Amino acid sequence: MDDAVADGADAIAEMIDLANDVTWRYLIDRSVLSASAALLLNRVYREGPMRLTALAEAEGASQSGMTQLVQRLERQGLLEKWSDPDDGRVSLVRLGEAGRQNWDARAAVRRQRIAELFPSVSPDDQVSLWLAAKVVVRILGQMQETAASQARVVADADVLHGELRSP
């Protein structure tokens, strides 16, 4: 990796680390949901309905652990299980109405807390941060799509290799 790419990767990693720290410590309401529950709701909100096995794999959790978490969030109305339209034998986990309301409320809290912190930044830096955010959101979206695509390729290869090894 050349020095410019390494420096860029370091700067981006530091920005993401700092953003995660500010988010988890100051911007989100941690009184209602555990971190794992919040991350699960985030994934289902952003990626849409998923199979329980896919959720467990994506979140790096055991299937039994994910089953327990999904059941707990289901009892709270945050998640729902629905029959997969492509395969009626399979259930998909999706955001319930209470989950959408929870997502909206948590987003409002984040925006409010950001607005409360904004005056501590100079007006010029506020504009700079707003402009940078517009660019970063677009670029991180592209990186997220690339990462998801690469993950699908790896998962497909794992399935293919598993099928080839089966008798």
Side-chain angles (χ1 to χ4, degrees), residues 73-91:
L73 296 176
E74 217 179 348
R75 285 190 300 273
Q76 296 172 2
L78 299 171
L79 293 176
E80 300 174 343
K81 284 187 188 168
W82 285 78
S83 185
D84 185 339
D86 296 329
D87 183 351
R89 300 168 297 171
V90 176
S91 292

Side-chain angles (χ1 to χ4, degrees), residues 8-23 129 132-133 135-137 139-140 143:
D10 286 346
I12 292 166
E14 184 176 346
M15 176 197 64
I16 290 172
D17 289 345
L18 184 57
N20 280 329
D21 189 53
V22 168
T23 299
L129 185 57
V135 173
V136 167
V137 165
I139 294 170
L140 285 178
M143 292 173 75

Side-chain angles (χ1 to χ4, degrees), residues 4 9 18 25-26 38 45-46 49 62 73-74 92-93 114 118 120:
L18 184 57
R25 290 178 188 269
Y26 307 109
Y45 174 83
R46 293 194 181 280
S62 69
L73 296 176
E74 217 179 348
L92 295 176
V93 177
I114 290 168
F118 229 46
S120 68

Side-chain angles (χ1 to χ4, degrees), residues 145-155:
E145 287 176 17
T146 299
S149 178
Q150 290 171 346
R152 281 190 297 274
V153 168
V154 168

